Amino acid sequence: MADLLKRSRGPVRIASAYVTDRSLLTGIKSRKISLLTSASLMDIASGATSIETLRTLIESGVQCRCLSGDDRLHAKVYIFGSESAVVSSANLTNSAFNSNIEVGVRIEGDSVTRLVDWFDRLWSVARPLNTSELAEWKKAAKSLRREYAILRKRAATRPSTPSGGTSETKSPDDVTNLLNNA
Protein backbone atom coordinates (compact mmCIF):
# COMPACT_ATOMS: atom_id res chain seq x y z
CA MET A 1 0.00 0.00 0.00
CA ALA A 2 2.79 2.40 0.91
CA ASP A 3 4.45 1.80 -2.47
CA LEU A 4 1.22 2.49 -4.37
CA LEU A 5 0.72 5.61 -2.30
CA LYS A 6 4.21 6.87 -3.19
CA ARG A 7 3.97 6.06 -6.91
CA SER A 8 0.46 7.37 -7.56
CA ARG A 9 -0.79 10.91 -8.15
CA GLY A 10 -4.09 12.54 -7.28
CA PRO A 11 -6.42 12.12 -4.33
CA VAL A 12 -6.34 9.07 -2.09
CA ARG A 13 -9.68 7.56 -1.11
CA ILE A 14 -9.91 4.85 1.52
CA ALA A 15 -13.00 3.00 2.71
CA SER A 16 -12.37 0.91 5.82
CA ALA A 17 -14.82 -0.22 8.47
CA TYR A 18 -12.16 -0.24 11.19
CA VAL A 19 -9.24 2.15 11.71
CA THR A 20 -6.25 1.77 14.04
CA ASP A 21 -3.29 2.38 11.70
CA ARG A 22 -2.04 5.91 11.24
CA SER A 23 1.39 5.23 9.75
CA LEU A 24 0.17 4.80 6.15
CA LEU A 25 -1.51 8.21 5.96
CA THR A 26 0.26 10.59 8.36
CA GLY A 27 3.01 12.83 7.07
CA ILE A 28 1.49 13.20 3.59
CA LYS A 29 0.97 16.90 3.05
CA SER A 30 0.78 17.20 -0.74
CA ARG A 31 -2.25 14.97 -1.32
CA LYS A 32 -5.94 15.12 -0.59
CA ILE A 33 -6.76 12.06 1.52
CA SER A 34 -10.34 11.00 2.23
CA LEU A 35 -11.11 8.27 4.75
CA LEU A 36 -14.60 6.79 4.90
CA THR A 37 -15.33 4.60 7.90
CA SER A 38 -18.20 3.12 9.84
CA ALA A 39 -17.22 4.16 13.36
CA SER A 40 -19.69 3.22 16.06
CA LEU A 41 -19.44 3.32 19.84
CA MET A 42 -19.19 -0.48 19.92
CA ASP A 43 -16.33 -0.40 17.37
CA ILE A 44 -14.52 2.06 19.64
CA ALA A 45 -15.31 0.24 22.89
CA SER A 46 -14.12 -3.08 21.46
CA GLY A 47 -10.91 -1.52 20.09
CA ALA A 48 -11.77 -2.21 16.44
CA THR A 49 -11.47 1.52 15.78
CA SER A 50 -9.15 3.88 17.64
CA ILE A 51 -10.33 7.37 18.60
CA GLU A 52 -6.68 8.43 18.98
CA THR A 53 -5.88 7.25 15.45
CA LEU A 54 -8.86 9.08 13.96
CA ARG A 55 -7.89 12.24 15.89
CA THR A 56 -4.29 12.02 14.66
CA LEU A 57 -5.43 11.51 11.06
CA ILE A 58 -7.84 14.47 11.21
CA GLU A 59 -5.17 16.69 12.77
CA SER A 60 -2.72 15.68 10.03
CA GLY A 61 -5.16 16.81 7.32
CA VAL A 62 -6.99 13.58 6.44
CA GLN A 63 -10.64 14.28 5.74
CA CYS A 64 -12.67 11.71 7.68
CA ARG A 65 -16.33 10.86 7.33
CA CYS A 66 -18.47 8.06 8.66
CA LEU A 67 -21.62 6.32 7.62
CA SER A 68 -24.16 6.00 10.38
CA GLY A 69 -27.54 4.48 10.97
CA ASP A 70 -28.41 1.48 8.84
CA ASP A 71 -25.57 2.14 6.38
CA ARG A 72 -22.93 -0.22 7.83
CA LEU A 73 -19.71 -0.01 5.84
CA HIS A 74 -17.87 -3.31 5.58
CA ALA A 75 -15.79 -2.65 2.44
CA LYS A 76 -12.01 -2.29 2.44
CA VAL A 77 -11.06 -0.27 -0.63
CA TYR A 78 -7.91 1.78 -1.21
CA ILE A 79 -8.02 4.09 -4.27
CA PHE A 80 -4.83 5.85 -5.37
CA GLY A 81 -5.57 8.70 -7.75
CA SER A 82 -7.43 7.51 -10.81
CA GLU A 83 -4.90 4.92 -11.90
CA SER A 84 -4.86 2.21 -9.25
CA ALA A 85 -6.96 0.68 -6.47
CA VAL A 86 -6.80 -2.25 -4.07
CA VAL A 87 -9.91 -4.12 -2.97
CA SER A 88 -8.89 -6.10 0.07
CA SER A 89 -9.92 -8.00 3.15
CA ALA A 90 -7.61 -5.66 5.13
CA ASN A 91 -9.08 -2.85 7.20
CA LEU A 92 -6.90 0.18 7.90
CA THR A 93 -5.62 -1.45 11.09
CA ASN A 94 -2.27 -2.36 12.58
CA SER A 95 -3.17 -6.04 12.76
CA ALA A 96 -4.34 -6.14 9.13
CA PHE A 97 -1.03 -4.67 7.95
CA ASN A 98 1.28 -6.46 10.38
CA SER A 99 -0.07 -9.81 11.57
CA ASN A 100 -3.32 -10.92 9.93
CA ILE A 101 -3.42 -13.09 6.85
CA GLU A 102 -5.19 -10.81 4.35
CA VAL A 103 -5.68 -10.83 0.61
CA GLY A 104 -6.24 -8.00 -1.84
CA VAL A 105 -6.54 -7.47 -5.55
CA ARG A 106 -4.98 -4.54 -7.37
CA ILE A 107 -7.22 -2.98 -9.99
CA GLU A 108 -6.39 -0.63 -12.85
CA GLY A 109 -8.24 0.95 -15.77
CA ASP A 110 -12.00 1.55 -16.00
CA SER A 111 -12.67 -0.39 -12.81
CA VAL A 112 -10.83 2.30 -10.84
CA THR A 113 -13.17 4.95 -12.27
CA ARG A 114 -16.18 2.89 -11.17
CA LEU A 115 -14.69 2.53 -7.67
CA VAL A 116 -14.10 6.31 -7.49
CA ASP A 117 -17.77 6.87 -8.42
CA TRP A 118 -18.87 4.32 -5.77
CA PHE A 119 -16.68 5.97 -3.11
CA ASP A 120 -17.80 9.50 -4.01
CA ARG A 121 -21.50 8.51 -3.78
CA LEU A 122 -20.96 7.14 -0.26
CA TRP A 123 -18.79 10.12 0.67
CA SER A 124 -21.59 12.51 -0.28
CA VAL A 125 -24.02 10.93 2.24
CA ALA A 126 -21.48 10.33 5.03
CA ARG A 127 -21.14 12.61 8.05
CA PRO A 128 -17.90 14.58 8.53
CA LEU A 129 -15.95 13.65 11.67
CA ASN A 130 -14.19 16.27 13.75
CA THR A 131 -12.02 16.17 16.86
CA SER A 132 -14.71 17.58 19.18
CA GLU A 133 -17.11 14.79 18.19
CA LEU A 134 -14.34 12.26 18.75
CA ALA A 135 -13.82 13.62 22.28
CA GLU A 136 -17.53 13.06 23.00
CA TRP A 137 -17.32 9.52 21.59
CA LYS A 138 -14.30 8.82 23.77
CA LYS A 139 -16.26 9.71 26.91
CA ALA A 140 -19.32 7.72 25.83
CA ALA A 141 -17.23 4.69 24.90
CA LYS A 142 -15.40 4.64 28.26
CA SER A 143 -18.32 3.18 30.24
CA LEU A 144 -19.29 0.91 27.35
CA ARG A 145 -15.70 -0.38 27.27
CA ARG A 146 -15.89 -1.26 30.97
CA GLU A 147 -19.18 -3.11 30.48
CA TYR A 148 -17.77 -4.91 27.45
CA ALA A 149 -14.68 -6.01 29.41
CA ILE A 150 -16.85 -7.34 32.25
CA LEU A 151 -19.02 -9.30 29.82
CA ARG A 152 -15.97 -10.78 28.07
CA LYS A 153 -14.52 -11.83 31.42
CA ARG A 154 -17.80 -13.43 32.46
CA ALA A 155 -18.10 -15.19 29.12
CA ALA A 156 -14.64 -16.69 29.55
CA THR A 157 -15.51 -18.40 32.84
CA ARG A 158 -17.30 -21.74 32.88
CA PRO A 159 -20.60 -21.79 34.75
CA SER A 160 -20.77 -24.20 37.65
CA THR A 161 -23.65 -26.63 37.95
CA PRO A 162 -24.81 -28.60 40.97
CA SER A 163 -23.22 -32.02 41.27
CA GLY A 164 -24.75 -34.38 38.77
CA GLY A 165 -26.94 -31.67 37.28
CA THR A 166 -26.97 -30.34 33.79
CA SER A 167 -26.96 -26.73 32.72
CA GLU A 168 -29.38 -25.48 30.12
CA THR A 169 -27.54 -22.15 29.76
CA LYS A 170 -25.56 -21.31 26.70
CA SER A 171 -21.92 -22.32 26.79
CA PRO A 172 -19.28 -19.67 27.44
CA ASP A 173 -18.01 -20.29 23.90
CA ASP A 174 -21.43 -19.24 22.54
CA VAL A 175 -21.39 -16.06 24.61
CA THR A 176 -17.77 -15.30 23.70
CA ASN A 177 -18.56 -15.75 19.99
CA LEU A 178 -21.55 -13.45 20.38
CA LEU A 179 -19.43 -10.74 22.02
CA ASN A 180 -16.62 -11.07 19.49
CA ASN A 181 -19.04 -10.73 16.60
CA ALA A 182 -21.36 -8.09 18.09
Side-chain angles (χ1 to χ4, degrees):
M1 297 286 190
D3 189 47
L4 284 173
L5 186 60
K6 287 177 190 172
R7 291 186 297 141
S8 66
R9 300 287 173 250
V12 175
R13 297 169 176 90
I14 297 175
S16 177
Y18 307 130
V19 179
T20 63
D21 181 84
R22 62 187 83 163
S23 63
L24 181 68
L25 301 178
T26 52
I28 302 168
K29 301 290 184 202
S30 60
R31 309 269 300 267
K32 177 183 175 188
I33 301 173
S34 302
L35 172 63
L36 181 64
T37 189
S38 184
S40 72
L41 282 179
M42 193 60 194
D43 294 341
I44 294 160
S46 69
T49 291
S50 164
I51 288 285
E52 291 75 24
T53 296
L54 288 172
R55 183 186 47 75
T56 299
L57 292 173
I58 290 169
E59 289 173 350
S60 71
V62 175
Q63 295 177 14
C64 296
R65 291 189 179 188
C66 73
L67 292 170
S68 55
D70 293 335
D71 297 327
R72 181 85 175 132
L73 180 72
H74 189 66
K76 295 92 174 166
V77 178
Y78 301 79
I79 306 169
F80 304 98
S82 58
E83 62 264 358
S84 187
V86 175
V87 177
S88 176
S89 63
N91 281 294
L92 185 62
T93 62
N94 296 322
S95 55
F97 291 148
N98 299 313
S99 60
N100 291 355
I101 298 171
E102 307 280 359
V103 67
V105 177
R106 183 175 170 184
I107 296 171
E108 296 178 341
D110 290 339
S111 295
V112 176
T113 303
R114 288 195 294 273
L115 279 174
V116 167
D117 291 342
W118 167 84
F119 182 95
D120 289 348
R121 276 193 308 276
L122 289 176
W123 186 260
S124 71
V125 298
R127 263 184 330 101
L129 287 177
N130 58 54
T131 55
S132 60
E133 182 177 22
L134 294 179
E136 291 174 23
W137 283 8
K138 186 174 183 176
K139 288 178 192 175
K142 189 174 184 177
S143 64
L144 187 58
R145 188 176 288 121
R146 279 192 302 268
E147 290 176 43
Y148 183 71
I150 291 167
L151 286 173
R152 286 183 62 90
K153 186 181 273 188
R154 284 184 187 161
T157 61
R158 297 261 175 216
S160 60
T161 57
S163 179
T166 60
S167 172
E168 292 186 25
T169 61
K170 290 200 178 280
S171 77
D173 291 339
D174 292 339
V175 176
T176 301
N177 287 336
L178 177 65
L179 287 171
N180 287 337
N181 296 310

